[in-house]
Amino acid sequence: MLMISLFLLLNSQTSFALEAMNPVSLCSRMIHETGKKECDIQASKLKLDWYAATACNALNDDKVFLSCWKSISGAEFNPEALGRCVENPDDSDDAILDCIMSLKNNRSPASFKKPYQNLMIQKDKAIK
């Protein structure tokens, strides 16, 4: 039984699930009151994807963190892919930011990919 458990443990895939957080709550990372106020303003003013805003929270530099928010404002992201951007804590801020930006507006509806049928109904004129 121990061998089976060990086998399953070693062969299981680990995936990192990014927990979306309200951007306003992420402002608690700021140490100085002026930075916290600026963060609160940005959180309420910008249209932020919660998953992407949470991924930006993995950045160590507060200025880069806020510029990340400005860069992602109004964009859409794939939450699963964002999780892969922040799963390695040893990544540099530049690597994390590049990964997040590479996923910006990279979502498309399932209907854009084949083999989904077209939504237009076409009648065959030969049938009477």
Side-chain angles (χ1 to χ4, degrees):
M1 184 67 159
L2 180 61
M3 291 297 279
I4 294 172
S5 298
L6 184 60
F7 176 77
L8 291 174
L9 179 65
L10 293 175
N11 289 326
S12 66
Q13 277 188 323
T14 58
S15 66
F16 180 80
L18 187 65
E19 290 288 329
M21 295 177 66
N22 185 338
V24 173
S25 68
L26 298 174
C27 293
S28 63
R29 71 178 267 154
M30 301 296 185
I31 297 171
H32 301 291
E33 192 61 34
T34 56
K36 185 167 178 10
K37 285 180 183 176
E38 181 184 354
C39 183
D40 287 335
I41 291 168
Q42 295 299 327
S44 62
K45 184 174 78 169
L46 299 173
K47 183 182 175 209
L48 297 171
D49 178 292
W50 283 24
Y51 286 100
T54 304
C56 289
N57 193 44
L59 300 166
N60 292 319
D61 187 333
D62 289 340
K63 290 182 181 179
V64 177
F65 166 72
L66 289 175
S67 71
C68 179
W69 274 12
K70 291 176 185 173
S71 299
I72 65 166
S73 179
E76 293 182 353
F77 294 86
N78 179 336
E80 183 180 336
L82 281 170
R84 289 190 293 269
C85 289
V86 298
E87 67 187 352
N88 187 358
D90 295 331
D91 284 347
S92 68
D93 281 358
D94 291 336
I96 295 169
L97 188 59
D98 289 345
C99 182
I100 293 170
M101 291 304 119
S102 72
L103 300 172
K104 186 176 177 179
N105 293 325
N106 207 11
R107 294 181 69 185
S108 61
S111 60
F112 285 179
K113 297 178 183 176
K114 302 273 184 214
Y116 300 103
Q117 78 180 47
N118 189 348
L119 294 177
M120 300 291 292
I121 299 173
Q122 297 178 354
K123 294 181 180 180
D124 190 6
K125 294 181 180 181
I127 299 176
K128 293 185 181 182

